[in-house]
Amino acid sequence: EAEVAQSPRYKITEKSQAVAFWCDPISGHATLYWYRQILGQGPELLVQFQDESVVDDSQLPKDRFSAERLKGVDSTLKIQPAELGDSAMYLCASSLAFQGAEETQYFGPGTRLLVL
Amino acid sequence: LAKTTQPISMDSYEGQEVNITCSHNNIATNDYITWYQQFPSQGPRFIIQGYKTKVTNEVASLFIPADRKSSTLSLPRVSLSDTAVYYCLVGGSGNTPLVFGKGTRLSVIA
């Protein structure tokens, strides 16, 4: 069964450092999502791509966060500089499209970030 | 922006049927209803999706009344391994992003 891959699974960094997370969606999935999940809460959408284009980044803190999906396949989410409040699980998901039943999202295992 | 309302938590004994109801009064005509399961330190896992009436798969059933303003996830004969957070989402019309609520924390006890 095809899966969404993410790396690293865990990351510990000090505040003010830069961190980057990688996601490889299920093959053929045009839509890719990055979520942040704080302990005890549901995932919060940060950015959504359709192929290589950003569809929604309204909740992405653009002063420190950036995301790219240059070739419309894998994607990188970067935080620079990291702050203590960024400690969370970062989840990547992909779907065939962004409408109808094809928007069903399949999630990766996540990257747990701890900022010290 | 469609929003959902679910109970914060539920408890059940092993072997019982569990029904989790979700309210989504502002569901759009083209929106689907999707349920996810999440274990600690893992990404959400797709359980079931429906548009109207009843959908059943090997894991669960989803009941959606005619007005589609609510839906009920039914888990037959739960086991300890079903202890997780369950999220109800509505969307798929392409106009608004999917929004996760806080979900329902199901605890199954022996």
Side-chain angles (χ1 to χ4, degrees):
Chain A
E1 179 177 305
E3 296 181 341
V4 176
Q6 289 189 248
S7 67
R9 292 295 310 278
Y10 304 93
K11 179 70 177 179
I12 300 175
T13 190
E14 295 183 344
K15 62 180 181 179
S16 80
Q17 296 297 305
V19 292
F21 313 129
W22 177 80
C23 172
D24 191 15
I26 294 173
S27 178
H29 280 197
T31 309
L32 184 147
Y33 314 78
W34 282 103
Y35 288 87
R36 176 172 59 187
Q37 185 173 25
I38 296 170
L39 196 63
Q41 298 184 21
E44 171 196 20
L45 180 68
L46 292 175
V47 61
Q48 176 181 345
F49 290 92
Q50 179 69 18
D51 298 313
E52 67 276 9
S53 301
V54 173
V55 174
D56 184 350
D57 64 354
S58 57
Q59 300 303 312
L60 187 71
K62 298 181 186 62
D63 57 335
R64 298 185 300 107
F65 286 65
S66 63
E68 60 183 18
R69 193 185 184 198
L70 295 176
K71 297 183 179 179
V73 181
D74 60 338
S75 176
T76 301
L77 178 69
K78 297 179 180 177
I79 308 175
Q80 182 173 17
E83 296 181 352
L84 297 178
D86 296 330
S87 294
M89 174 80 89
Y90 289 83
L91 294 161
C92 179
S94 69
S95 65
L96 277 172
F98 66 99
Q99 287 186 341
E102 294 179 334
E103 192 177 5
T104 301
Q105 297 180 31
Y106 297 89
F107 285 80
T111 296
R112 182 166 294 283
L113 173 67
L114 178 61
V115 182
L116 303 176
Chain B
L1 185 65
K3 293 179 68 174
T4 60
T5 303
Q6 305 174 232
I8 294 175
S9 64
M10 296 181 68
D11 296 330
S12 177
Y13 288 103
E14 272 191 300
Q16 290 189 329
E17 177 185 74
V18 171
N19 296 309
I20 306 174
T21 297
C22 178
S23 297
H24 28 80
N25 292 318
N26 298 321
I27 188 169
T29 302
N30 296 329
D31 282 342
Y32 282 77
I33 299 158
T34 309
W35 285 80
Y36 289 87
Q37 174 193 56
Q38 187 177 29
F39 298 113
S41 298
Q42 295 185 25
R45 183 176 75 100
F46 171 82
I47 301 176
I48 197 167
Q49 182 184 72
Y51 183 79
K52 62 180 179 180
T53 63
K54 177 183 175 182
V55 180
T56 297
N57 61 22
E58 64 278 6
V59 177
S61 294
L62 179 60
F63 298 91
I64 305 168
D67 66 6
R68 305 201 325 122
K69 294 184 181 298
S70 66
S71 59
T72 298
L73 174 72
S74 181
L75 304 172
R77 299 179 298 281
V78 295
S79 63
L80 296 176
S81 62
D82 292 317
T83 295
V85 178
Y86 293 81
Y87 295 98
C88 162
L89 283 80
V90 296
S93 63
N95 295 321
T96 56
L98 292 177
V99 177
F100 282 81
K102 293 189 175 181
T104 297
R105 185 172 300 276
L106 173 65
S107 297
V108 180
I109 53 180

